[in-house]
Amino acid sequence: MLILSVSHDTLTTHLSTFLTTTTIQSQSPTAAPTFGCDITLELPKPHIPLVSQSTCKGKLTELTLKYNGGDCTQSNNEQGGKFECEDFNGGPTDAAVEITVFDKNGILKLGDGSSAVYVDVSVGDILTLEPPEDETQFQSEITILVRDPQAMQPANDDNGTGDDGLLQKIIVHTSCSQDLRLLDIFGSTQVFAYTDTKKDGPVTVMQPVIVSGGLVNNNGQNINGALFELNGDPIAFGNPIDGEGLSFEETMMTDLSVAELEYTLDFDGTLVEFPGQVCDTSTDVSVPNRNLGPSITEIAASVSDLSTLVFLLELTGLDEVLDGPGSFTVFGK
Protein backbone atom coordinates (compact mmCIF):
# COMPACT_ATOMS: atom_id res chain seq x y z
CA MET A 1 0.00 0.00 0.00
CA LEU A 2 1.39 3.43 -0.89
CA ILE A 3 -0.13 6.62 0.40
CA LEU A 4 1.49 9.80 -0.87
CA SER A 5 0.52 13.34 0.02
CA VAL A 6 2.39 16.45 -0.98
CA SER A 7 1.70 19.68 0.89
CA HIS A 8 3.16 23.20 0.89
CA ASP A 9 6.19 22.23 2.96
CA THR A 10 6.23 18.49 3.47
CA LEU A 11 6.38 15.36 1.39
CA THR A 12 5.20 12.35 3.36
CA THR A 13 5.59 8.85 2.03
CA HIS A 14 3.95 6.08 4.06
CA LEU A 15 4.59 2.49 3.15
CA SER A 16 3.13 -0.58 4.84
CA THR A 17 4.10 -4.17 4.07
CA PHE A 18 2.32 -6.85 6.05
CA LEU A 19 3.80 -10.30 6.67
CA THR A 20 2.08 -13.52 7.77
CA THR A 21 3.88 -16.04 9.98
CA THR A 22 3.28 -19.78 9.88
CA THR A 23 1.25 -21.25 12.77
CA ILE A 24 0.27 -24.75 13.79
CA GLN A 25 -3.43 -25.22 13.19
CA SER A 26 -5.45 -26.48 16.16
CA GLN A 27 -8.78 -28.28 15.92
CA SER A 28 -10.41 -24.87 16.16
CA PRO A 29 -8.51 -22.86 13.51
CA THR A 30 -7.66 -19.28 14.32
CA ALA A 31 -6.37 -16.55 12.05
CA ALA A 32 -2.61 -16.48 11.64
CA PRO A 33 -1.00 -13.46 13.34
CA THR A 34 0.20 -10.73 11.06
CA PHE A 35 3.20 -8.51 11.47
CA GLY A 36 4.09 -5.46 9.48
CA CYS A 37 6.59 -2.74 8.81
CA ASP A 38 5.35 0.84 8.83
CA ILE A 39 7.63 3.46 7.29
CA THR A 40 6.89 7.17 7.44
CA LEU A 41 9.19 9.73 5.84
CA GLU A 42 8.77 13.47 6.18
CA LEU A 43 10.78 15.55 3.71
CA PRO A 44 10.51 19.28 4.38
CA LYS A 45 10.73 21.45 1.25
CA PRO A 46 11.78 24.96 2.23
CA HIS A 47 11.33 27.76 -0.26
CA ILE A 48 14.59 28.49 -2.08
CA PRO A 49 14.90 31.97 -3.63
CA LEU A 50 16.33 31.56 -7.11
CA VAL A 51 16.81 35.18 -8.04
CA SER A 52 16.32 36.35 -11.60
CA GLN A 53 18.42 39.48 -11.07
CA SER A 54 22.14 39.64 -10.31
CA THR A 55 22.97 39.87 -6.61
CA CYS A 56 26.74 39.81 -7.02
CA LYS A 57 28.22 42.98 -5.49
CA GLY A 58 31.98 42.46 -5.14
CA LYS A 59 34.77 40.40 -6.63
CA LEU A 60 34.23 36.67 -6.40
CA THR A 61 35.96 34.66 -3.70
CA GLU A 62 34.38 31.32 -4.67
CA LEU A 63 32.45 30.02 -7.68
CA THR A 64 30.68 26.68 -8.06
CA LEU A 65 29.97 25.46 -11.58
CA LYS A 66 28.08 22.44 -12.89
CA TYR A 67 29.46 20.87 -16.06
CA ASN A 68 26.65 20.21 -18.56
CA GLY A 69 28.62 19.54 -21.74
CA GLY A 70 27.44 21.07 -25.01
CA ASP A 71 28.62 23.90 -27.25
CA CYS A 72 28.64 27.69 -26.88
CA THR A 73 25.21 28.22 -28.47
CA GLN A 74 23.42 27.17 -25.26
CA SER A 75 24.97 30.07 -23.31
CA ASN A 76 22.43 32.17 -21.40
CA ASN A 77 23.74 35.09 -19.33
CA GLU A 78 23.72 38.88 -19.16
CA GLN A 79 27.45 39.60 -19.40
CA GLY A 80 27.31 40.89 -22.98
CA GLY A 81 30.71 41.51 -24.56
CA LYS A 82 32.53 40.65 -21.31
CA PHE A 83 31.61 36.99 -21.86
CA GLU A 84 33.38 34.99 -24.54
CA CYS A 85 32.90 31.41 -25.72
CA GLU A 86 34.52 29.64 -28.64
CA ASP A 87 34.18 26.02 -29.73
CA PHE A 88 36.93 23.95 -31.32
CA ASN A 89 36.65 20.61 -33.12
CA GLY A 90 32.86 20.55 -32.74
CA GLY A 91 32.85 21.59 -29.09
CA PRO A 92 32.19 19.40 -26.03
CA THR A 93 29.73 16.50 -26.23
CA ASP A 94 28.46 14.37 -23.34
CA ALA A 95 31.81 12.58 -23.03
CA ALA A 96 34.21 13.11 -20.12
CA VAL A 97 36.61 16.04 -20.53
CA GLU A 98 39.55 17.66 -18.79
CA ILE A 99 39.12 21.22 -17.54
CA THR A 100 41.59 23.92 -16.54
CA VAL A 101 40.54 27.23 -14.94
CA PHE A 102 42.80 30.24 -14.41
CA ASP A 103 42.90 34.02 -14.11
CA LYS A 104 45.78 36.41 -14.71
CA ASN A 105 47.34 35.50 -11.34
CA GLY A 106 47.49 31.79 -12.12
CA ILE A 107 45.64 28.48 -11.96
CA LEU A 108 42.60 28.50 -9.68
CA LYS A 109 42.22 25.99 -6.87
CA LEU A 110 39.43 23.47 -6.31
CA GLY A 111 37.45 23.32 -3.10
CA ASP A 112 39.68 20.53 -1.79
CA GLY A 113 42.78 22.71 -2.22
CA SER A 114 44.09 20.96 -5.32
CA SER A 115 44.95 22.75 -8.56
CA ALA A 116 42.20 23.33 -11.14
CA VAL A 117 44.37 22.09 -14.00
CA TYR A 118 43.55 19.02 -16.12
CA VAL A 119 40.58 18.13 -13.90
CA ASP A 120 38.75 14.98 -15.06
CA VAL A 121 35.08 16.01 -15.37
CA SER A 122 31.90 14.24 -16.53
CA VAL A 123 28.47 15.69 -17.31
CA GLY A 124 26.71 16.54 -14.04
CA ASP A 125 29.90 17.02 -12.02
CA ILE A 126 30.17 20.02 -9.71
CA LEU A 127 33.36 22.11 -9.52
CA THR A 128 33.95 24.52 -6.64
CA LEU A 129 36.64 27.03 -7.64
CA GLU A 130 38.74 29.24 -5.36
CA PRO A 131 41.36 31.93 -6.10
CA PRO A 132 44.92 30.91 -7.03
CA GLU A 133 47.49 30.15 -4.34
CA ASP A 134 48.18 33.11 -2.03
CA GLU A 135 45.22 35.09 -3.48
CA THR A 136 41.96 35.95 -1.68
CA GLN A 137 39.72 36.78 -4.65
CA PHE A 138 39.37 36.20 -8.37
CA GLN A 139 40.64 38.75 -10.83
CA SER A 140 38.19 40.51 -13.17
CA GLU A 141 37.81 37.46 -15.41
CA ILE A 142 38.53 33.74 -15.41
CA THR A 143 39.27 31.48 -18.35
CA ILE A 144 37.88 27.95 -18.57
CA LEU A 145 39.51 25.54 -21.03
CA VAL A 146 37.65 22.32 -21.88
CA ARG A 147 39.75 19.59 -23.50
CA ASP A 148 39.30 16.20 -25.11
CA PRO A 149 41.59 13.89 -23.10
CA GLN A 150 41.83 11.52 -26.07
CA ALA A 151 43.33 14.25 -28.25
CA MET A 152 45.86 15.56 -25.73
CA GLN A 153 49.56 14.89 -26.21
CA PRO A 154 51.05 12.45 -23.66
CA ALA A 155 53.86 14.88 -22.77
CA ASN A 156 52.19 18.22 -22.07
CA ASP A 157 54.18 21.03 -20.45
CA ASP A 158 51.91 24.02 -21.15
CA ASN A 159 50.74 24.17 -17.49
CA GLY A 160 47.16 23.70 -18.65
CA THR A 161 46.85 27.04 -20.45
CA GLY A 162 47.71 25.91 -23.99
CA ASP A 163 45.39 24.71 -26.76
CA ASP A 164 46.31 21.03 -26.71
CA GLY A 165 43.12 18.97 -27.37
CA LEU A 166 40.99 22.10 -26.93
CA LEU A 167 37.19 21.75 -27.33
CA GLN A 168 35.98 25.00 -25.79
CA LYS A 169 37.38 28.24 -24.38
CA ILE A 170 35.17 30.27 -22.02
CA ILE A 171 35.84 33.67 -20.45
CA VAL A 172 33.57 34.72 -17.55
CA HIS A 173 33.62 38.16 -15.93
CA THR A 174 34.06 37.73 -12.15
CA SER A 175 34.36 41.25 -10.73
CA CYS A 176 30.54 41.63 -10.49
CA SER A 177 30.60 44.80 -12.58
CA GLN A 178 28.66 42.55 -14.98
CA ASP A 179 25.61 40.49 -14.03
CA LEU A 180 26.19 37.08 -12.49
CA ARG A 181 23.09 35.06 -11.66
CA LEU A 182 22.36 31.61 -10.35
CA LEU A 183 21.82 29.14 -13.20
CA ASP A 184 23.56 31.42 -15.74
CA ILE A 185 25.00 29.28 -18.54
CA PHE A 186 28.48 29.94 -19.87
CA GLY A 187 29.13 27.46 -22.66
CA SER A 188 29.28 23.98 -21.17
CA THR A 189 29.21 25.28 -17.58
CA GLN A 190 26.45 26.64 -15.34
CA VAL A 191 26.55 28.73 -12.16
CA PHE A 192 25.36 26.84 -9.08
CA ALA A 193 26.81 29.03 -6.31
CA TYR A 194 29.08 31.98 -5.69
CA THR A 195 30.47 34.08 -2.86
CA ASP A 196 31.76 37.62 -3.27
CA THR A 197 33.66 40.10 -1.14
CA LYS A 198 30.45 41.86 -0.04
CA LYS A 199 28.66 38.77 1.29
CA ASP A 200 28.94 36.70 4.46
CA GLY A 201 28.06 33.43 2.75
CA PRO A 202 27.34 31.80 -0.58
CA VAL A 203 24.42 32.43 -2.91
CA THR A 204 23.51 28.93 -4.03
CA VAL A 205 20.89 26.61 -5.51
CA MET A 206 22.25 23.80 -3.32
CA GLN A 207 20.15 23.89 -0.16
CA PRO A 208 19.82 21.76 2.97
CA VAL A 209 16.83 19.43 3.09
CA ILE A 210 16.13 17.87 6.47
CA VAL A 211 15.01 14.27 6.04
CA SER A 212 13.58 12.47 9.04
CA GLY A 213 11.64 9.27 9.48
CA GLY A 214 11.04 6.19 11.53
CA LEU A 215 10.50 2.47 11.20
CA VAL A 216 8.38 0.28 13.47
CA ASN A 217 6.40 -2.90 13.00
CA ASN A 218 2.98 -3.87 14.19
CA ASN A 219 4.35 -6.31 16.75
CA GLY A 220 6.70 -3.82 18.38
CA GLN A 221 9.77 -5.88 17.50
CA ASN A 222 13.01 -4.53 16.07
CA ILE A 223 13.74 -4.50 12.35
CA ASN A 224 17.23 -4.64 10.86
CA GLY A 225 18.68 -3.80 7.46
CA ALA A 226 16.90 -0.60 6.46
CA LEU A 227 18.28 1.65 3.74
CA PHE A 228 16.89 4.95 2.53
CA GLU A 229 18.15 6.99 -0.42
CA LEU A 230 17.57 10.65 -1.31
CA ASN A 231 18.63 11.51 -4.86
CA GLY A 232 20.89 8.45 -4.85
CA ASP A 233 22.62 9.23 -1.53
CA PRO A 234 22.13 6.52 1.13
CA ILE A 235 20.91 7.30 4.63
CA ALA A 236 21.31 4.60 7.28
CA PHE A 237 18.73 4.23 10.02
CA GLY A 238 19.92 4.52 13.61
CA ASN A 239 20.89 1.52 15.71
CA PRO A 240 18.02 -0.78 16.75
CA ILE A 241 16.69 -0.14 20.26
CA ASP A 242 14.45 -2.69 21.97
CA GLY A 243 10.85 -1.64 21.72
CA GLU A 244 11.65 1.64 19.95
CA GLY A 245 12.15 0.55 16.36
CA LEU A 246 14.51 2.58 14.15
CA SER A 247 14.68 6.27 13.34
CA PHE A 248 16.87 8.78 11.53
CA GLU A 249 17.31 12.46 10.81
CA GLU A 250 19.76 13.70 8.21
CA THR A 251 20.48 17.04 6.60
CA MET A 252 21.48 16.75 2.96
CA MET A 253 22.54 19.34 0.40
CA THR A 254 20.14 18.94 -2.50
CA ASP A 255 19.87 20.70 -5.86
CA LEU A 256 16.48 22.40 -5.67
CA SER A 257 16.80 24.02 -9.10
CA VAL A 258 15.57 20.89 -10.88
CA ALA A 259 11.99 20.61 -12.11
CA GLU A 260 11.33 17.47 -10.08
CA LEU A 261 12.91 16.06 -6.95
CA GLU A 262 13.49 12.33 -7.00
CA TYR A 263 13.09 10.33 -3.79
CA THR A 264 13.90 6.63 -3.64
CA LEU A 265 12.92 4.32 -0.81
CA ASP A 266 14.71 0.97 -0.92
CA PHE A 267 13.87 -1.07 2.15
CA ASP A 268 14.80 -4.63 3.04
CA GLY A 269 14.14 -5.37 6.72
CA THR A 270 14.15 -8.50 8.86
CA LEU A 271 11.92 -9.09 11.87
CA VAL A 272 14.32 -10.14 14.63
CA GLU A 273 11.89 -12.43 16.38
CA PHE A 274 10.96 -14.22 13.14
CA PRO A 275 14.14 -15.01 11.13
CA GLY A 276 13.48 -15.16 7.43
CA GLN A 277 10.44 -12.92 7.60
CA VAL A 278 11.22 -9.70 5.74
CA CYS A 279 9.69 -6.45 4.66
CA ASP A 280 10.74 -5.84 1.08
CA THR A 281 9.56 -2.59 -0.46
CA SER A 282 10.95 -0.27 -3.11
CA THR A 283 9.35 2.79 -4.66
CA ASP A 284 10.38 5.94 -6.55
CA VAL A 285 8.59 9.23 -5.91
CA SER A 286 8.85 12.29 -8.17
CA VAL A 287 7.76 15.56 -6.60
CA PRO A 288 7.19 18.76 -8.64
CA ASN A 289 9.54 21.43 -7.34
CA ARG A 290 7.88 24.77 -6.57
CA ASN A 291 11.25 26.48 -6.05
CA LEU A 292 12.08 27.29 -9.67
CA GLY A 293 11.65 31.04 -9.50
CA PRO A 294 11.45 34.02 -7.19
CA SER A 295 8.48 34.39 -4.90
CA ILE A 296 6.05 37.33 -5.04
CA THR A 297 7.81 38.92 -2.06
CA GLU A 298 11.21 38.59 -3.72
CA ILE A 299 9.94 40.15 -6.92
CA ALA A 300 8.44 43.03 -4.94
CA ALA A 301 11.68 43.46 -2.95
CA SER A 302 13.59 43.99 -6.20
CA VAL A 303 11.44 47.07 -6.99
CA SER A 304 12.36 50.09 -4.87
CA ASP A 305 8.89 51.66 -5.22
CA LEU A 306 7.36 48.64 -3.46
CA SER A 307 9.52 48.82 -0.31
CA THR A 308 6.53 49.80 1.86
CA LEU A 309 4.53 46.84 0.57
CA VAL A 310 7.42 44.49 1.33
CA PHE A 311 7.76 45.96 4.85
CA LEU A 312 4.05 45.40 5.55
CA LEU A 313 4.15 41.88 4.16
CA GLU A 314 7.03 41.00 6.49
CA LEU A 315 5.41 42.79 9.42
CA THR A 316 2.16 40.81 9.07
CA GLY A 317 3.80 37.49 8.16
CA LEU A 318 2.15 37.49 4.75
CA ASP A 319 5.58 37.19 3.13
CA GLU A 320 5.65 33.55 4.26
CA VAL A 321 2.17 32.97 2.82
CA LEU A 322 3.22 34.47 -0.52
CA ASP A 323 6.29 32.21 -0.54
CA GLY A 324 3.85 29.30 -0.83
CA PRO A 325 2.68 27.55 -3.99
CA GLY A 326 -0.25 29.91 -4.63
CA SER A 327 -2.17 30.86 -6.55
CA PHE A 328 -2.49 34.45 -5.28
CA THR A 329 -3.92 37.76 -6.43
CA VAL A 330 -2.10 40.72 -4.88
CA PHE A 331 -3.34 44.33 -4.92
CA GLY A 332 -1.09 47.09 -3.61
CA LYS A 333 -0.89 50.84 -3.82
Side-chain angles (χ1 to χ4, degrees):
M1 175 177 67
L2 172 62
I3 303 174
L4 172 63
S5 63
V6 180
S7 65
H8 159 64
D9 56 358
T10 303
L11 165 70
T12 301
T13 302
H14 185 80
L15 296 170
S16 298
T17 303
F18 295 97
L19 307 173
T20 302
T21 61
T22 302
T23 60
I24 299 175
Q25 298 293 324
S26 65
Q27 289 183 339
S28 300
T30 57
T34 60
F35 303 92
C37 305
D38 295 331
I39 307 166
T40 301
L41 304 171
E42 290 188 334
L43 308 175
K45 293 182 58 195
H47 175 75
I48 307 304
L50 297 181
V51 295
S52 58
Q53 70 274 19
S54 174
T55 60
C56 185
K57 301 301 182 184
K59 287 191 175 181
L60 293 191
T61 58
E62 187 174 274
L63 176 64
T64 298
L65 298 174
K66 180 181 179 183
Y67 180 70
N68 294 326
D71 61 27
C72 293
T73 61
Q74 66 186 324
S75 299
N76 184 11
N77 59 77
E78 299 295 329
Q79 293 203 347
K82 294 291 186 179
F83 160 68
E84 298 179 24
C85 186
E86 185 176 2
D87 291 317
F88 302 86
N89 301 309
T93 61
D94 58 358
V97 296
E98 293 200 359
I99 286 181
T100 299
V101 190
F102 58 93
D103 65 16
K104 70 178 185 180
N105 283 343
I107 303 294
L108 271 58
K109 295 185 301 181
L110 298 177
D112 60 6
S114 62
S115 178
V117 57
Y118 298 138
V119 183
D120 183 21
V121 176
S122 298
V123 170
D125 284 353
I126 302 292
L127 296 179
T128 297
L129 302 167
E130 299 176 348
E133 198 70 37
D134 299 325
E135 300 292 331
T136 59
Q137 61 191 37
F138 296 176
Q139 293 302 300
S140 59
E141 64 182 33
I142 63 171
T143 300
I144 304 169
L145 301 181
V146 183
R147 291 186 173 87
D148 177 3
Q150 304 301 319
M152 295 174 63
Q153 297 297 322
N156 194 309
D157 57 3
D158 64 8
N159 196 32
T161 60
D163 59 2
D164 186 31
L166 196 59
L167 293 174
Q168 191 174 81
K169 180 178 180 180
I170 307 166
I171 296 178
V172 180
H173 201 74
T174 50
S175 73
C176 292
S177 63
Q178 298 292 315
D179 281 352
L180 183 72
R181 306 170 303 176
L182 294 179
L183 303 180
D184 271 353
I185 300 175
F186 298 93
S188 57
T189 64
Q190 186 171 26
V191 176
F192 257 43
Y194 62 84
T195 303
D196 64 49
T197 53
K198 299 293 182 67
K199 287 187 174 60
D200 295 329
V203 178
T204 177
V205 299
M206 302 297 290
Q207 295 291 331
V209 171
I210 299 174
V211 184
S212 62
L215 176 62
V216 296
N217 65 70
N218 292 355
N219 199 41
Q221 303 296 329
N222 289 332
I223 301 172
N224 296 328
L227 176 66
F228 173 71
E229 291 186 352
L230 172 61
N231 288 350
D233 295 320
I235 299 176
F237 282 83
N239 294 325
I241 301 175
D242 286 340
E244 295 185 9
L246 305 175
S247 64
F248 71 87
E249 179 173 309
E250 295 281 344
T251 300
M252 305 187 68
M253 296 302 289
T254 304
D255 173 14
L256 295 186
S257 69
V258 297
E260 286 189 333
L261 302 180
E262 298 287 342
Y263 299 102
T264 299
L265 180 66
D266 183 7
F267 175 70
D268 185 359
T270 301
L271 297 179
V272 175
E273 295 298 312
F274 301 93
Q277 297 291 328
V278 298
C279 303
D280 186 2
T281 303
S282 180
T283 187
D284 296 325
V285 182
S286 295
V287 185
N289 184 7
R290 64 185 179 88
N291 298 318
L292 292 178
S295 68
I296 293 175
T297 305
E298 290 159 356
I299 294 173
S302 68
V303 181
S304 59
D305 290 345
L306 298 179
S307 58
T308 301
L309 172 62
V310 173
F311 171 76
L312 292 174
L313 290 175
E314 294 175 346
L315 183 66
T316 58
L318 287 175
D319 58 321
E320 296 184 4
V321 176
L322 295 177
D323 281 347
S327 56
F328 305 107
T329 302
V330 179
F331 298 95
K333 67 174 183 177

